[in-house]
C-alpha cells in the first residue's frame, strides 16, 4: 500500500524546487512499485542486489533503478546490465569493478561517491580524508576508468533528534560537493548531491540537496 496523498504532495513540492525524488522501495512488493509507476514515477531506489534483480525482471524496462545500499564487488555483475545510478560507491576497488562490468556490457555506469557524514560507526562511505586521497593521488587511476561517470556525492545524516547536528552534517557534505564540483574531467563531473530521507528531507533541501531518497513517507513504515 502506498500513501498516495503523501506521494503527490512531496512529488509536487520537490518538483517545484527542482529536486529529484527517488522512491526507496526496498522491502516493498513489486505491486507497490507498479502503483507508483502508474502515477508516472520512474526513479526507484533499492538496497539489496538480489531483491533489485528480482524486481527489475518483473517491472517495466523504463524504470530508472538506483542502487543505494552497501555493494560488494562480487555482486556488481548482477546489476551492471541495467542499473541507472549506483549511489553508494565507497572504494576505488568498487569503482574499478563497476568499470570492468560496464566495459563488459558496453555501457557507461553513473556513480555517486558515498560520504560518511554521520556519527554512527557502522555507516559505510568515504570519510573526508579518503575522499581527498581519491581526488588527489588516485586521480590518474580514476581517469583510466572510462566506462564510469562520477556524478556527485551521496550521504546520510545521523539518526538523531538533534536538528543542529543533522544540519551541520548536511553542510559538511554540501561543502565537499562544492569543492569537488570544480574538478571537471571526462568521467568526473559533479552535478548530483543526494541527501535527505523521510525524516530529514526538508532540512536536506534547505541545505542544498538536489536529490532525495524517500521510503517510509511514501510507502509507510517498514516492518
Ligand atoms: C532506506 C534508505 C532510505 C529511505 O529511508 P526512509 O526513512 O524510509 O525514507 C534512504 N537512503 C538510504 C541509503 C536508505 O538505505
Amino acid at each position: 500500500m502506498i500513501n498516495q496523498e503523501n506521494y503527490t504532495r512531496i512529488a509536487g513540492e520537490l518538483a517545484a524546487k527542482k529536486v529529484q525524488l527517488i522512491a526507496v522501495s526496498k522491502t516493498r512488493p513489486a505491486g507497490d512499485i507498479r502503483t507508483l509507476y502508474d502515477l508516472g514515477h520512474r526513479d526507484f531506489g533499492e538496497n539489496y542486489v538480489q531483491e533489485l534483480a528480482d524486481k527489475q525482471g518483473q517491472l517495466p524496462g523504463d524504470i530508472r533503478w538506483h542502487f543505494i545500499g552497501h555493494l560488494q564487488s562480487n555482486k556488481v555483475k548482477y546489476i551492471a546490465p541495467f542499473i541507472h545510478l549506483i549511489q553508494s560507491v565507497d572504494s576505488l576497488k568498487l569503482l574499478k569493478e563497476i568499470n570492468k562490468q560496464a566495459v563488459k556490457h558496453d555501457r557507461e555506469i553513473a556513480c555517486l561517491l558515498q560520504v560518511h557524514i554521520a556519527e554512527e560507526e557502522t555507516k559505510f562511505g568515504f570519510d573526508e580524508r579518503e575522499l581527498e586521497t581519491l581526488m588527489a593521488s588516485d586521480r590518474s587511476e580514476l581517469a583510466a576508468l572510462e566506462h564510469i561517470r562520477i556524478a556527485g556525492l551521496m550521504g546520510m545524516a545521523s539518526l538523531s533528534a538533534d536538528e543542529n547536528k543533522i544540519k551541520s552534517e548536511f553542510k559538511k557534505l554540501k561543502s565537499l560537493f562544492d569543492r569537488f564540483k570544480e574538478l571537471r574531467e571526462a568521467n568526473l563531473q559533479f552535478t548530483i548531491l543526494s541527501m535527505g530521507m523521510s525524516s530529514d528531507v526538508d532540512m536536506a533541501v534547505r541545505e542544498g540537496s538536489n536529490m532525495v531518497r524517500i521510503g517510509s513517507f511514501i510507502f509507510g513504515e517498514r516492518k
Side-chain angles (χ1 to χ4, degrees):
M1 275 291 285
I2 72 157
N3 186 325
Q4 193 170 332
E5 199 181 311
N6 280 0
Y7 169 71
T8 306
R9 178 152 57 86
I10 197 158
E13 285 173 13
L14 293 168
K17 292 175 180 160
K18 302 209 158 32
V19 174
Q20 235 195 309
L21 169 60
I22 312 306
V24 175
S25 48
K26 64 187 181 201
T27 78
R28 316 292 180 173
D32 283 1
I33 298 174
R34 182 76 216 200
T35 304
L36 220 52
Y37 179 90
D38 289 338
L39 293 172
H41 200 78
R42 292 295 178 270
D43 289 273
F44 293 89
E46 290 281 341
N47 277 44
Y48 304 101
V49 168
Q50 186 59 52
E51 185 181 341
L52 169 55
D54 288 349
K55 287 173 174 170
Q56 193 269 341
Q58 295 172 43
L59 287 157
D62 62 341
I63 288 181
R64 293 182 291 266
W65 294 103
H66 297 245
F67 195 79
I68 61 172
H70 181 61
L71 182 58
Q72 290 169 281
S73 294
N74 62 359
K75 300 232 169 116
V76 175
K77 57 177 179 283
Y78 301 113
I79 61 171
F82 64 84
I83 198 73
H84 177 70
L85 179 63
I86 300 177
Q87 299 204 8
S88 44
V89 175
D90 59 3
S91 70
L92 179 58
K93 176 177 174 240
L94 183 57
L95 281 173
K96 287 178 177 170
E97 178 61 22
I98 294 167
N99 187 70
K100 187 173 140 195
Q101 295 299 328
V103 169
K104 221 175 241 178
H105 295 281
D106 193 26
R107 61 185 302 244
E108 178 187 81
I109 298 180
C111 302
L112 303 182
L113 304 175
Q114 182 172 354
V115 185
H116 181 272
I117 51 171
E119 223 171 41
E120 288 96 18
E121 283 286 323
T122 54
K123 293 265 165 75
F124 294 103
F126 291 93
D127 64 29
E128 199 172 334
R129 199 181 43 79
E130 291 167 338
L131 194 62
E132 276 161 2
T133 305
L134 185 73
M135 293 304 189
S137 33
D138 296 336
R139 271 278 277 305
S140 56
E141 283 193 84
L142 274 191
L145 307 177
E146 294 180 339
H147 281 249
I148 59 164
R149 185 165 46 84
I150 301 177
L153 300 179
M154 184 271 262
M156 273 190 279
S158 295
L159 287 170
S160 165
D162 182 350
E163 296 238 317
N164 285 325
K165 176 193 265 176
I166 295 170
K167 188 174 178 172
S168 76
E169 291 171 353
F170 284 152
K171 277 190 188 303
K172 183 169 153 193
L173 190 59
K174 174 68 161 68
S175 77
L176 288 169
F177 177 79
D178 287 340
R179 213 170 110 201
F180 294 121
K181 198 169 67 178
E182 307 296 318
L183 306 173
R184 298 223 145 239
E185 293 179 17
N187 66 348
L188 182 96
Q189 297 189 18
F190 276 21
T191 53
I192 300 172
L193 178 57
S194 175
M195 62 183 196
M197 336 198 328
S198 296
S199 58
D200 53 24
V201 55
D202 293 337
M203 172 83 78
V205 170
R206 275 199 301 276
E207 295 304 326
S209 168
N210 61 19
M211 179 179 280
V212 298
R213 310 172 310 272
I214 309 286
S216 41
F217 186 71
I218 297 172
F219 294 101
E221 289 303 319
R222 274 181 302 278
K223 300 194 183 71

